[in-house]
Amino acid sequence: MDFEQSIRGNKARENFNSGYNCSQSVLLAYEDYLQEKGLDPKTVLRMASPMGGGISRLREICGAVSSLCLLIGLADGYDTPDDEKKKALYTQVQKLALQFKEHQGSIICRELLGLEQKHDQPTPSKRTKEYYAERPCADFCATAAAIFEEHYLQELSK
């Protein structure tokens, strides 16, 4: 799939550019899918809200990647302590997270942003024209959403 042509990827990009954090942006691109799975999108957005900035600006795992993992869990997750199901899920998560890493260079927020500090202050940056011009986060959101779209297209069309 050409990530630039991904409908869900472009929706995730738009979500980020309208003020949602990276994690929320990816999940919101699948609002219809969340509803089909019985999840209220507003509740999911609240649950994803601390994941932005690599977990609340700690600059660890990228929030877009975190939401990619949540979507994989929604599609293929397990609800019993079954090691084979865990292995299958973890295999899929690793595969798609590594695909994100191959495309973007890392799955770590601070590395993606070229930051040296381990974490930022908890105060979010103002969302200005300059902020969006220098932040590649919208592209990270698009990549994560497109990866899920590519690998779960059949599931989404059910």
Side-chain angles (χ1 to χ4, degrees), residues 52-117:
I55 307 176
S56 298
R57 295 175 55 91
L58 288 172
R59 304 301 183 197
E60 296 295 338
I61 298 295
C62 169
V65 174
S66 294
S67 284
L68 171 59
C69 295
L70 290 173
L71 287 166
I72 297 166
L74 185 58
D76 287 339
Y78 57 89
D79 53 15
T80 61
D82 180 318
D83 285 343
E84 286 306 308
K85 289 181 180 178
K86 286 180 189 179
K87 180 182 176 184
L89 178 69
Y90 293 174
T91 298
Q92 185 67 351
V93 167
Q94 286 187 13
K95 175 184 170 187
L96 299 187
L98 290 174
Q99 184 179 351
F100 179 95
K101 183 177 181 177
E102 288 170 13
H103 192 73
Q104 294 294 352
S106 181
I107 62 169
I108 305 299
C109 176
R110 70 177 163 273
E111 292 173 4
L112 290 165
L113 297 179
L115 302 174
E116 292 186 24
Q117 76 270 15

Side-chain angles (χ1 to χ4, degrees), residues 1-136:
M1 168 180 281
D2 178 5
F3 290 161
E4 297 299 318
Q5 300 301 316
S6 165
I7 293 169
R8 303 288 181 151
N10 287 325
K11 181 64 177 161
R13 181 182 283 112
E14 290 170 14
N15 293 338
F16 184 83
N17 288 333
S18 69
Y20 289 99
N21 75 30
C22 46
S23 185
Q24 293 171 316
S25 296
V26 173
L27 289 172
L28 192 57
Y30 289 92
E31 182 175 10
D32 59 328
Y33 183 64
L34 297 173
Q35 289 175 331
E36 288 171 13
K37 293 290 190 174
L39 298 172
D40 171 44
K42 285 184 84 170
T43 300
V44 173
L45 288 173
R46 291 176 64 90
M47 290 175 63
S49 62
M51 304 310 288
I55 307 176
S56 298
R57 295 175 55 91
L58 288 172
R59 304 301 183 197
E60 296 295 338
I61 298 295
C62 169
V65 174
S66 294
S67 284
L68 171 59
C69 295
L70 290 173
L71 287 166
I72 297 166
L74 185 58
D76 287 339
Y78 57 89
D79 53 15
T80 61
D82 180 318
D83 285 343
E84 286 306 308
K85 289 181 180 178
K86 286 180 189 179
K87 180 182 176 184
L89 178 69
Y90 293 174
T91 298
Q92 185 67 351
V93 167
Q94 286 187 13
K95 175 184 170 187
L96 299 187
L98 290 174
Q99 184 179 351
F100 179 95
K101 183 177 181 177
E102 288 170 13
H103 192 73
Q104 294 294 352
S106 181
I107 62 169
I108 305 299
C109 176
R110 70 177 163 273
E111 292 173 4
L112 290 165
L113 297 179
L115 302 174
E116 292 186 24
Q117 76 270 15
K118 292 284 183 181
H119 61 80
D120 280 337
Q121 296 299 316
T123 305
S125 301
K126 294 276 186 213
R127 295 291 184 98
T128 63
K129 185 178 178 181
E130 293 77 21
Y131 171 89
Y132 288 115
E134 65 185 34
R135 285 288 173 151

